[in-house]
Amino acid sequence: MTLLRIAALIALLLAGIAPARAEDPSPAEVEKIQRIVAEYLRQHPEVVIEALKEYQSRQDARKADQTRQTIASLKDELFKDPTSPIAGNLDGDVTIVEFFDYRCPYCKAVAADLAKAVQTDGKVRLVYKEFPILGPASIVAAKAALAAARQDKYLAFHDKLIGFKGSLDDATVFSLAGDAGLDLPRLKADMEKPEIKAIIDRNYRLADKLNIQGTPAFIIGGEMLPGAASYDDLTAAFKRARGG
């Protein structure tokens, strides 16, 4: 009704002011139309609100379509990068990709719901994308986690880092690494290898292409869920990814 109603009103006014004429309305006629439409909108403000909602809906649909196209163009980097740690069902029929930062409180808050959603479903493959954007300590934690994968302890160490509730500084990162049973001298040496930095740099570039500006951000099928998605948000997205 909204935009179409306004357009119809203007069309009627034009027809009434300049019937059977080929030329454009005069400035006086245009001013008259503007006054009538303005008065109508003052008396019916709900039309403006509905029009804005309709416009926002169209913008959201356009953005979602653009995101789907971008995800499709990056599917190998997102879903099949052999350097990205993986959890859940490795042969799952749905893949969820999480961009996260170990110092992000929202990433920590959603961790339990994410684990529950993946475990309860049983057919979801979870890909971790280290995306340290909250300062130098975040980078140290991300490098340490990726280096832990070389000792086959990424998931155990990841859980300790994401579950830690205090201020995560360098000393805490290495203390948690010790608790996870990691060889610390080896870990620190591996952290400095160029391959570790290359993984994080690739994740930065991916996030930039996807216009991810904060953490967490989830890619599920062809859809992006920005922010701290709940258990229900995640399970609904799994269903949509399966075409349900």
Side-chain angles (χ1 to χ4, degrees), residues 49-180:
I49 295 171
E50 291 175 18
L52 290 172
K53 288 181 179 179
E54 183 179 331
Y55 172 78
Q56 187 61 54
S57 179
R58 291 180 182 179
Q59 291 294 97
D60 290 345
R62 186 177 296 111
K63 182 178 179 181
D65 186 58
Q66 291 172 345
T67 298
R68 280 191 292 271
Q69 292 178 31
T70 303
I71 291 171
S73 71
L74 300 170
K75 62 181 180 180
D76 287 346
E77 296 171 75
L78 283 167
F79 304 125
K80 299 179 182 179
D81 185 343
T83 66
S84 294
I86 301 173
N89 186 335
L90 303 189
D91 298 315
D93 62 346
V94 168
T95 295
I96 175 172
V97 178
E98 181 189 16
F99 287 80
F100 67 96
D101 184 309
Y102 286 115
R103 298 182 68 234
C104 166
Y106 302 105
C107 298
K108 293 177 181 294
V110 77
D113 274 1
L114 174 60
K116 178 182 175 183
V118 171
Q119 183 176 8
T120 301
D121 184 283
K123 296 181 180 180
V124 173
R125 178 174 171 267
L126 171 58
V127 176
Y128 291 112
K129 296 290 187 183
E130 303 277 347
F131 185 46
I133 57 174
L134 298 177
S138 292
I139 295 174
V140 169
K143 285 183 174 181
L146 291 169
R150 296 181 172 223
Q151 298 183 41
D152 295 322
K153 292 185 181 295
Y154 176 87
L155 294 179
F157 188 32
H158 169 86
D159 289 346
K160 287 189 176 296
L161 288 170
I162 206 70
F164 184 75
K165 302 303 182 183
S167 177
L168 192 62
D169 55 19
D170 294 7
T172 304
V173 168
F174 294 121
S175 174
L176 293 172
D179 293 344

Side-chain angles (χ1 to χ4, degrees), residues 172-241:
T172 304
V173 168
F174 294 121
S175 174
L176 293 172
D179 293 344
L182 286 155
D183 179 330
L184 293 183
R186 179 184 172 188
L187 181 78
K188 291 178 181 180
D190 286 341
M191 285 172 62
E192 300 308 315
K193 292 184 176 178
E195 298 91 336
I196 298 297
K197 181 178 183 299
I199 294 171
I200 294 173
D201 287 344
R202 282 200 298 276
N203 291 345
Y204 285 147
R205 290 194 294 271
L206 264 179
D208 183 61
K209 291 176 182 177
L210 291 161
N211 196 31
I212 294 174
Q213 300 177 350
T215 53
F218 300 96
I219 307 294
I220 305 173
E223 178 182 4
M224 181 187 298
L225 293 182
S230 68
Y231 172 84
D232 289 341
D233 293 332
L234 294 168
T235 55
F238 296 161
K239 184 176 180 180
R240 289 193 296 273

Side-chain angles (χ1 to χ4, degrees), residues 4-53:
L4 290 175
R5 178 190 291 177
I6 296 171
L9 175 61
I10 294 173
L12 287 172
L13 291 168
L14 285 171
I17 290 173
R21 283 186 2 197
E23 67 270 19
D24 292 334
S26 69
E29 290 170 338
V30 170
E31 184 179 353
K32 181 176 181 181
I33 292 171
Q34 291 173 339
R35 286 200 305 271
I36 294 172
V37 171
E39 181 58 30
Y40 176 82
L41 293 178
R42 276 194 292 271
Q43 294 181 13
H44 302 277
E46 71 280 1
V47 173
V48 178
I49 295 171
E50 291 175 18
L52 290 172
K53 288 181 179 179

